[in-house]
Amino acid sequence: MAIEMMEYANNSDNILEVYNLKKYYPISKFVLGKSRSYVKAVDDVSFSIKRGTTMGLVGESGCGKTTVGRTILRLHEVTDGKVFFEGRDLSKIPPARLRKMRPQMQMIFQDPYSSLSPRMPIGEIIGEAVKEHKIVPKSEYRAYILKVMRDCGLQPHFYYRYPHEFSGGQRQRISIARAVALKPKFIICDEPLSALDVSIQAQIINLMKDLQEQYGYTYLFISHDLSVVEYLSDTIGVMYLGSMMEMGDKKKIFANPMHPYTKALLSAVPVSNPDVKMNRIILEGDIPSPVNPPSGCKFRTRCPNAMPICAEKAPVFKEYEENHKVACHLYSQD
Amino acid sequence: MGLLDMLKRRKVEGTEDLDNTMYLTLREERRISRENRKIMKQYEREKNRKNVPEEEYLTQMRDPSNVVEFDNLHTYFFTDLGTVKSVNGVTFDIPQGKIVGVVGESGCGKSVTSLSLMQLVQAPQGQIVEGSIRYQDINGKCYEITKMPRDKMLEIRGKEISMIFQEPMTSLNPVFKIGEQMDEVVLLHTKGATSESAKARSIEMLNLVGIADVEKVYNSYPHELSGGMRQRVMIAMALSCDPRLIIADEPTTALDVTIQAQILELLRDVKDKINGSIMLITHDLGVIAEMADYVVVMYAGRIIEQGTVREIFHNPKHPYTIGLMKSKPSGDTKDNRLYSIRGQVPNPINMPDYCYFCNRCDYAMNVCWKEYPDIVEFSESHSAACHLYYGEGLEEQKKRRVEVENNGN
């Protein structure tokens, strides 16, 4: 037991530490009996986030980035692994205690059209959890909600309006206000911008940055838009088929992408300049099924640099320079 | 939420802010819907005429090198809340063999423009009220799409002009196999096609779009394929009758960047192979920069700027275009704030008669609140609708610049 504790030594700079997180979904092939196969949505992912910084999590759809976010908050139960939030292991906390901790960890969802209850006015949507968790005394409740709304760029007279009266951008502001109203420390943003137009995206990005500066939030920013992730994040993790492929400082990843998948992802982003012709690495085919991932390195079926060893052995996720980890055989043979 | 609170609805502090939400009484709503019915009936009667003589819809192109010309197109939707002018005077050309990119925020009318060209606007609410769309077929015959009878349109739609829709998930029929759906297009549009020749054609097309296991895909249902594969099938289907023009309505929005790169590459290849034109509708400026030859920027149903891709990206003139370019985060962006266009698109019902953008514009002047700007031409191909570049607005700009310089000294 003592050894285990040593292994998960917590760094007080980190608000969140994730060790070997696994989330498997069983597929029942038979009516009776245990299922034989699993969808390995998240397979052995470890990372940590420093207080007050933003970590970006990128990858194609189906790579498990949303599942990571949800499993951290225990919206799905963890299959294996440890999640430490502020030094406490979230997977061991009993439900009643977890409920008390919920205000500290909030989530902003992808689709602002389906994540707001159509039957509640805005004030109530933002305030419901504030009341439940008694964030502020009853006498200050209304003033507090109006202050949160003002912080998020919502006008006070929206208080009694219903979600259907708002555009996508405004709704996303409401979702942000709902998360922020609980005075959280850590917010998971699950593709908060993908349903919005470019000009509105910029507004929401600025809002999120302002709030972070003002209140010191820590974000886990899940997105498939690399330009947004580059702009917002301090560290970046690149996921593929449930595993972390590359992780490190934003600058290091963008200046020196090491994993072939990261290289391909970066080169696939269209550039807003008609004169720049990108040397594009086009990946063949689609992401394989997570039920039977390829043996060895999961990326080898689409990798332009695949070698024989890639099929035999899974590469180790190792640090090659300071704050820059890669899982690839290209760098391990020496 | 008590009743008293509900009554206070309009009396919360700071209500004087701009608020363009409309509330209609039931009586007003009834009156509007009665009027709409009358208007819609009239348009539908016109459309439903039988045996329309060909002279009525034959016309001349302004420039014979174009495939399609939009000329002052107005498409309105008659809703119970009022008339939505989705497309409000749009004029641009699609030249033969070129890619024209249409950019704009959602709700700016870019999809409705393309649907008008296909005669697929949701009827009876949606009607082309004014203007013309001219289409030139391979023999040089010019048709006026807005006046074309429905049965004639069937021969063009899907054959000479085909469309790739935004969501490959919902635009394939889930109960038919890919092969059946593809053969149907060929059988319908090719004279003397048999089921064997149709199958051969479908398989040829699936090969063309780079699908590896063609026979297997041909015999599978849409749900068995991934998003990228389905989009490839959609493209194969659109190509199967050698169209003159492909309308790609946000073809990559639902896809990942890696798949997007594949699909864009494919579209570019395919365009050269069939020597057709593409009308590419998207809100992603990066995609436009990469693909398009000409760019049309739309805002609230109107074209605010158009030009070649270089003119638009290196020398944008309209404040909205400039704002769009600046609001996209990129590697060059320093750690300061990202530029954002404030506010949002105005309510599409009851559009003002002045510039639609002036409440969000950084350069707004008095004249902007008075009248809708004229179109200013900067070169043969580049034009923008903005007060900054002519008349009263230009004068005021000069004055402002002098003031700024004086203050600087």
Side-chain angles (χ1 to χ4, degrees), chain A residues 198-320:
Chain A
V198 186
S199 71
I200 308 296
Q201 272 188 13
Q203 293 175 4
I204 301 291
I205 291 175
N206 280 338
L207 171 67
M208 288 177 57
K209 266 209 136 157
D210 288 350
L211 289 172
Q212 188 172 35
E213 270 166 34
Q214 213 172 336
Y215 299 105
Y217 299 135
T218 310
Y219 291 129
L220 175 64
F221 191 86
I222 300 168
S223 176
H224 62 261
D225 189 339
L226 281 154
S227 48
V228 175
V229 169
E230 183 184 6
Y231 182 73
L232 271 176
S233 322
D234 300 300
T235 52
I236 290 178
V238 182
M239 281 186 75
Y240 185 80
L241 214 59
S243 305
M244 200 66 94
M245 289 286 149
E246 184 163 0
M247 191 168 69
D249 280 0
K250 166 181 78 177
K251 281 184 190 132
K252 281 182 182 149
I253 295 225
F254 275 87
N256 176 25
M258 290 175 82
H259 200 283
Y261 180 60
T262 318
K263 284 181 189 164
L265 263 189
L266 289 180
S267 81
V269 180
V271 186
S272 309
N273 187 346
D275 290 336
V276 177
K277 282 279 165 275
M278 289 285 289
N279 252 340
R280 185 148 292 165
I281 307 166
I282 291 196
L283 291 180
E284 296 292 321
D286 293 312
I287 193 162
S289 153
V291 183
N292 306 304
S295 64
C297 174
K298 287 176 177 168
F299 184 58
R300 71 176 164 90
T301 49
R302 298 170 78 192
C303 183
N305 313 357
M307 299 174 291
I309 190 177
C310 300
E312 292 158 19
K313 215 165 70 176
V316 191
F317 194 52
K318 255 173 46 185
E319 199 161 43
Y320 287 92

Side-chain angles (χ1 to χ4, degrees), chain A residues 13-33:
Chain A
D13 278 354
N14 293 337
I15 191 161
L16 184 86
E17 295 186 353
V18 178
Y19 296 101
N20 307 81
L21 184 72
K22 288 189 182 122
K23 177 68 198 170
Y24 295 171
Y25 292 100
I27 316 170
S28 304
K29 293 263 177 186
F30 307 103
V31 182
L32 294 170

Side-chain angles (χ1 to χ4, degrees), chain B residues 29 127 172 234 241 246 248 250 289 293 299 317 332 337:
Chain B
E29 225 175 285
Q127 298 289 352
L172 287 168
M234 284 300 292
C241 291
I246 303 168
E250 312 235 2
D293 300 300
Y299 184 78
K317 291 288 188 186
D332 311 330
R337 281 174 69 83

Side-chain angles (χ1 to χ4, degrees), chain B residues 8-176:
Chain B
K8 272 194 245 163
R9 178 173 176 125
R10 297 249 146 224
K11 284 186 189 162
V12 194
E13 57 268 49
T15 358
E16 295 78 29
D17 277 313
L18 183 105
D19 178 12
N20 63 356
T21 319
M22 290 202 332
Y23 294 99
L24 288 180
T25 60
L26 198 58
R27 185 175 292 167
E28 275 173 321
E29 225 175 285
R30 280 213 195 103
R31 181 183 56 79
I32 292 173
S33 89
R34 207 176 313 125
E35 279 173 15
N36 283 348
R37 269 204 297 275
K38 215 191 279 169
I39 299 168
M40 288 181 317
K41 220 175 183 174
Q42 200 181 329
Y43 282 113
E44 285 301 295
R45 199 181 301 137
E46 181 75 14
K47 272 201 223 163
N48 284 337
R49 282 184 311 153
K50 292 213 171 84
N51 303 325
V52 184
E54 205 175 40
E55 300 86 62
E56 270 194 35
Y57 55 86
L58 278 183
T59 176
Q60 284 299 316
M61 299 298 269
R62 197 171 23 189
D63 180 353
S65 66
N66 294 335
V67 184
V68 168
E69 289 173 354
F70 291 92
D71 201 347
N72 197 23
L73 178 72
H74 289 72
T75 306
Y76 294 175
F77 285 86
F78 298 96
T79 70
D80 284 359
L81 291 174
T83 307
V84 177
K85 297 176 179 173
S86 270
V87 177
N88 196 1
V90 159
T91 306
F92 69 96
D93 306 334
I94 302 176
Q96 165 72 36
K98 299 281 186 209
I99 301 181
V100 176
V102 182
V103 228
E105 284 174 88
S106 43
C108 73
K110 48 195 197 309
S111 287
V112 177
T113 308
S114 67
L115 291 177
S116 305
L117 170 59
M118 294 285 268
Q119 271 198 15
L120 283 176
V121 182
Q122 177 79 44
Q125 305 92 315
Q127 298 289 352
I128 297 173
V129 178
E130 202 191 319
S132 62
I133 306 169
R134 291 183 287 268
Y135 166 72
Q136 180 176 236
D137 74 2
I138 197 132
N139 306 319
K141 236 179 176 181
C142 300
Y143 297 103
E144 172 63 59
I145 300 273
T146 52
K147 297 205 181 102
M148 213 132 141
R150 279 171 192 175
D151 51 336
K152 286 279 176 229
M153 194 62 207
L154 283 180
E155 291 168 16
I156 291 183
R157 187 197 300 140
K159 186 182 180 205
E160 297 182 23
I161 308 175
S162 60
M163 195 153 181
I164 303 164
F165 292 93
Q166 175 168 5
E167 277 194 43
M169 318 288 160
T170 51
S171 39
L172 287 168
N173 192 334
V175 299
F176 290 106

Side-chain angles (χ1 to χ4, degrees), chain A residues 17-87:
Chain A
E17 295 186 353
V18 178
Y19 296 101
N20 307 81
L21 184 72
K22 288 189 182 122
K23 177 68 198 170
Y24 295 171
Y25 292 100
I27 316 170
S28 304
K29 293 263 177 186
F30 307 103
V31 182
L32 294 170
K34 262 187 146 182
S35 64
R36 299 268 170 86
S37 55
Y38 294 91
V39 175
K40 297 181 177 175
V42 179
D43 199 4
D44 210 355
V45 167
S46 312
F47 60 90
S48 58
I49 307 180
K50 279 210 177 76
R51 217 174 286 277
T53 62
T54 304
M55 169 154 175
L57 208 53
V58 284
E60 285 172 280
S61 47
C63 73
K65 45 193 199 305
T66 301
T67 316
V68 168
R70 291 182 171 232
T71 320
I72 288 173
L73 292 190
R74 254 179 92 184
L75 296 177
H76 299 313
E77 283 304 326
V78 178
T79 308
D80 193 19
K82 299 243 184 290
V83 178
F84 288 96
F85 177 75
E86 297 268 31

